[in-house]
Amino acid sequence: MINLESGNYYSLNGVGGEIWGYLEKGAAARGIAAALAARYAADGEQIGQSVNDFLGQLLQEKLIVESEADSIEPLPLAAEGKLPFEIPQMSVFSDMQDLLLLDALDR
C-alpha cells in the first residue's frame, strides 16, 4: 500500500493482509475479530486486542477512516483445524518518500 499524501509505503504480514481484506468488504473491528477467532487458535480477547491495535496503526497512518459497518462471514476452517495466530503487523517504509511525493505532485 502507498499513502500518496505522506509518501510512505507499507507491507502487511499474513493476518494483517486478511484484516485489510475484511476492511475492503466493509467489516468493523468486532466482525473482523470474530472471523479471525473462528479461523485461528488464539484467545478471542488477544485477537480482539490485536485487531484494535492494528486498526489504530492504520488510522494513525491515515490509511483508513472510521466508519459504521460490520457485516462479514467467517472464513471456513482449515482442514486440520484452527491455524496458529500471528499478531498482525505493518511495516512502514519512507525511503522513497521524496520520489513518491514528487510523483503525486505531477498528477
Side-chain angles (χ1 to χ4, degrees):
M1 298 178 299
I2 298 174
N3 181 332
L4 293 176
E5 289 182 17
S6 70
N8 293 333
Y9 62 101
Y10 308 86
S11 173
L12 307 176
N13 71 350
V15 175
E18 278 187 65
I19 292 172
W20 186 260
Y22 287 132
L23 290 171
E24 288 178 327
K25 295 175 183 175
R30 184 179 302 135
I32 294 169
L36 294 178
R39 187 166 168 80
Y40 291 97
D43 178 73
E45 208 170 294
Q46 176 195 12
I47 290 175
Q49 186 61 52
S50 295
V51 168
N52 287 334
D53 291 346
F54 187 71
L55 295 178
Q57 290 177 320
L58 294 174
L59 280 167
Q60 183 177 345
E61 291 293 324
K62 299 181 182 174
L63 295 171
I64 61 172
V65 295
E66 290 192 53
S67 171
E68 297 290 325
D70 198 9
S71 175
I72 61 170
E73 295 291 323
L75 296 174
L77 294 177
E80 63 277 355
K82 291 188 175 187
L83 301 169
F85 181 70
E86 180 182 335
I87 294 175
Q89 296 179 354
M90 174 176 60
S91 300
V92 181
F93 305 95
S94 60
D95 56 315
M96 295 180 48
Q97 192 173 44
D98 293 337
L99 292 174
L100 291 170
L101 289 174
L102 183 61
D103 185 52
L105 289 175
D106 289 339
R107 293 176 189 218

